[in-house]
Amino acid sequence: MKNIISFLLIAASVFSCKAQITVESEETSERKISLTNPKLVVAIVVDQMRYDYLTRFESKYGNGGFKRMMQEGFNCKNNHFNYVPTYTGPGHASVFTGTTPNNHGIIANDWFDRTLGRTVNCVEDRTVEPLGTNSNDGRKSPKRMVSTTFTDENRLFTQMRGKTIGISIKHRGAILPAGHTANAAYWFDYENKGSGNWISSTYYMKDLPKWVKDFNSSNITESYFKIWDTYYDINTYTESGSDNNDFERVFKGKETPTFPYDLNKLKGSNGNFKIIAESPYGDNLTTDFTIAAIDGENLGKDDITDVLTVSYSSPDKVGHDFGVNSKEIEDVYIRLDKDLKRLFDTLDDKVGKGEYTVFLTADHGVANIPRYLESLNIPSGYFTSKELKTKLNAFVLEEFKTTGLIRNVSNNQIFLNRKKIKELGLDLTFVQQKLVNEIISYKDIYKVYSATSMSNNSFHNGIEHLLQNGYNQKRSGDILTVPYPGYIYYRKTGTTHGSGFSYDTHVPLLFFGKGIKHGETLQKTVIPDIAPTISALLGISYPSGSTGRPLGFVLD
C-alpha cells in the first residue's frame, strides 16, 4: 500500500512539473510572439500622390525619406485603386478597411442622402460636440463608415490596450483611418477662417489633452505665415513646366501663379490659416503635430502594438490649385521628402530603429490640367454638373411631359425622384434606361450605366468593374456616368481627380520596417490588399468587410 501511495505521489509530482513546464512554455511563447510584433505601426497616406511622383522627382529626394523606404523596404510599383470614384474619403476608408465603397459605405467626400433629402459629409455627425473650436467642422465622427478598420481590429485584439491616434489637416483624413475605436483623431481647424487649432470631437473624449492644448497655444502654427519660395534654385526644377502659365490658380493678392508666395501678406484674402494648408507648410505643421503626438500619447513605448495614422493633405491642396506639371507641386514633394526623414529620424530615436513598421500610399492620384493637355493636342476637356442637369431636365420634359424627375446631380451620378416616378406610374428601371440612352449620346460622355445594371450584373474587369466596386446599393445614384479620359468636372484653372483611369488609380505603395522584406514587384496590387497585409503582420483579424488579400511577398 505504501509503495502504491509513493508511486502516486511521484507521478503527481512529475505531472505537476510537466504542467508547470507547459505553462511556462506557453507564457514564454506568448512573450516571444508579442516581441515579434512592431511596437508601433505608422500608416502614412499622401493626399493626391500619383505613382510617378516617386520616379519623376527621385533625383531631388534625399536618402532619409522616400528613398529610405525604397532602399530598406518593399516597393509595390503597380499599385492601383480598384473602384470609382477616387476621392479622399473613399480612399482613406478603403486603405484601412481593406475593401471598397460598395462595402464600407463611404462613396464620396459628400453625397446626396435620399432619406434626408440633402447632401451629407462622409464624417458628418451632428450628435457630437466640437473640441478646440466652436465651428461645426468639429462635429465629426466615423459613424457613416460601416466596416471596421485594421486599426479597430488591433484595438479589439489587444483588449483596447494598443492605442490608435489619427492625424491630418483634413477631418476625413484623420477620422476614417483611425476607425471607430480610436483613442483620438485630430484635424486642423482652417476652413471658413477657422481658429488654426488642432481639434477633435466629443466622439473621442470629453476634452483635449494637455499636450494638444500646449501645441495650440504655442506659436508653431503662426510661424508658417512666411515666404514660400522653392527649396532649391527654381532653375534646377527641370522635372516640371514653366512657373508662369495660364493653367494654374492665382491667389488673391497676386497677379501671377509664380514664386515666391508671401503667406503673411496673402493670408487675409485667402482664408487666413487656410493658406498654410494650401502650401507645403501644411505638411511641416502636420509633422510637427505628429512628433508632438508620439511624445504626448507615449506611442510605441511598450510591447503592445500602437497605430499612428498620418495623412498629408497639402499635396492635394497644392495639386488642385497648380496641377501635375507645376513648379509648386515639385517643391511640395521635395519638402515632403524632408518631412518624412524628420518623422523617421524621430521614430528611430523615440521608438527604436527596427521596432516600428511603416507603410505609405495615397488616397488617389490626379489628372493633368485639361487646358495644358489641350495645348499639347492631347484629348481633354471640361464638363459641368449644371450643364448635364440642364440637358437632362429638357429631355425629361420632352420624353415624360413632366418636370422634377432629376433630384440631384453630383459625383458623376444622377439621383432620380423615385417618389414622383412611382406617383406617375412609371417603372424606375424603364426611366433609368431611357436616361442612359440619352446621356450616352452626349459628346463628352464615355460610358453610362444604371443602378439596375450595377445591381443585376457582375462585372469582372474594365471600368464597369471599378464602377461596381464603388456602387453602394443604399447610397449611390440611379445613373453612373463616366466622362472620357482627360475630361473633368472642374474649374478652368487647376485640376481634380475621381476617375477610374490610371492617372487617378496608380499610386505608390511602400512598406518598410519591422517584419518587412526588402524588394520590389511589378505584380499588380490593389488598395484593399493593404489592411489584410498589416493584419497578417500583426496576427489579428482582418477588418469585417475586408475583400483584399494579404501580400505575403512583402512580409519577412
Side-chain angles (χ1 to χ4, degrees), residues 89 107 201 445 467 495 499 549:
I107 64 168
S201 80
I445 296 296
L467 284 169
T495 188
S499 80
R549 57 188 178 86

Side-chain angles (χ1 to χ4, degrees), residues 120-144:
V120 297
N121 182 267
C122 63
V123 289
E124 172 188 323
D125 187 350
R126 297 182 179 184
T127 69
V128 300
E129 297 298 320
L131 296 176
T133 181
N134 294 320
S135 167
N136 283 333
D137 209 43
R139 299 180 187 276
K140 301 290 188 288
S141 86
K143 75 172 188 178
R144 296 183 190 278

Side-chain angles (χ1 to χ4, degrees), residues 12 48 63 126 160 169 182 191 224 229 238 244 248 256 287 330 366 374 380 401 405 420 500 504 507 515 525 548 555:
Q48 200 190 108
N63 290 321
R126 297 182 179 184
M160 310 302 278
I169 290 281
E191 292 284 7
Y224 288 114
D229 206 346
T238 53
N244 192 11
E248 301 172 6
T256 58
T287 305
E330 179 167 0
V366 67
E374 287 175 332
S380 55
K401 313 304 180 193
L405 292 192
K420 186 164 186 176
D504 281 338
V507 298
T525 59
L555 302 179

Side-chain angles (χ1 to χ4, degrees), residues 10-170:
I10 292 169
S13 176
V14 171
F15 178 80
S16 175
C17 289
K18 284 185 176 179
Q20 186 175 354
I21 291 168
T22 302
V23 170
E24 286 176 352
S25 296
E26 288 175 354
E27 289 176 351
T28 302
S29 176
E30 286 177 4
R31 283 198 295 272
K32 286 180 178 178
I33 289 170
S34 70
L35 291 174
T36 61
N37 280 355
K39 293 182 177 181
L40 180 65
V41 172
V42 182
I44 300 173
V45 179
V46 183
D47 202 326
Q48 200 190 108
M49 184 176 184
R50 293 163 51 120
Y51 176 81
D52 63 354
Y53 290 164
L54 267 186
T55 55
R56 195 169 125 214
F57 305 138
E58 187 173 6
S59 64
K60 296 293 194 296
Y61 295 147
N63 290 321
F66 290 117
K67 282 185 178 179
R68 179 179 176 185
M69 294 195 77
M70 290 186 282
Q71 290 166 358
E72 296 182 19
F74 203 98
N75 184 0
C76 297
K77 294 183 171 183
N78 190 22
N79 183 61
H80 288 263
F81 281 88
N82 61 340
Y83 64 84
V84 174
T86 43
Y87 295 147
T88 297
H92 283 81
S94 299
V95 168
F96 290 84
T97 62
T99 191
T100 46
N102 59 327
N103 291 317
H104 61 61
I106 304 298
I107 64 168
N109 296 333
D110 306 274
W111 64 84
F112 181 74
D113 186 301
R114 286 193 186 90
T115 303
L116 297 176
R118 64 175 178 85
T119 297
V120 297
N121 182 267
C122 63
V123 289
E124 172 188 323
D125 187 350
R126 297 182 179 184
T127 69
V128 300
E129 297 298 320
L131 296 176
T133 181
N134 294 320
S135 167
N136 283 333
D137 209 43
R139 299 180 187 276
K140 301 290 188 288
S141 86
K143 75 172 188 178
R144 296 183 190 278
M145 183 169 61
V146 299
S147 172
T148 63
T149 58
F150 81 77
T151 53
D152 287 323
E153 297 300 335
N154 186 64
R155 290 276 283 160
L156 293 170
F157 182 83
T158 62
Q159 298 301 309
M160 310 302 278
R161 289 176 294 176
K163 274 192 170 183
T164 298
I165 303 294
I167 295 169
S168 178
I169 290 281
K170 294 182 181 179

Side-chain angles (χ1 to χ4, degrees), residues 130-133 184-187 195-200 202 205-222 288-289 292-293 296-297:
L131 296 176
T133 181
Y186 301 108
W187 56 98
S195 65
N197 285 339
W198 286 88
I199 65 174
S200 191
T202 54
M205 64 196 84
K206 293 181 179 179
D207 195 14
L208 292 176
K210 183 179 183 297
W211 73 265
V212 176
K213 292 180 178 179
D214 289 345
F215 191 97
N216 287 337
S217 63
S218 72
N219 193 46
I220 294 173
T221 301
E222 287 77 6
D288 294 337
F289 189 77
E297 300 287 349

Side-chain angles (χ1 to χ4, degrees), residues 417-468:
N417 189 333
R418 294 185 175 185
K419 183 179 179 181
K420 186 164 186 176
I421 288 172
K422 188 175 181 179
E423 289 172 351
L424 292 172
L426 297 171
D427 178 70
L428 178 61
T429 301
F430 174 77
V431 175
Q432 288 176 349
Q433 194 56 47
K434 278 284 186 180
L435 290 171
V436 166
N437 294 341
E438 167 66 12
I439 295 168
I440 197 62
S441 69
Y442 299 165
K443 65 180 181 67
D444 299 327
I445 296 296
Y446 178 45
K447 293 190 176 185
V448 191
Y449 289 91
S450 69
T452 300
S453 66
M454 288 289 114
S455 297
N456 294 345
N457 295 286
S458 182
F459 301 104
H460 300 290
N461 49 54
I463 199 74
E464 295 81 4
H465 176 63
L466 305 188
L467 284 169
Q468 194 163 55

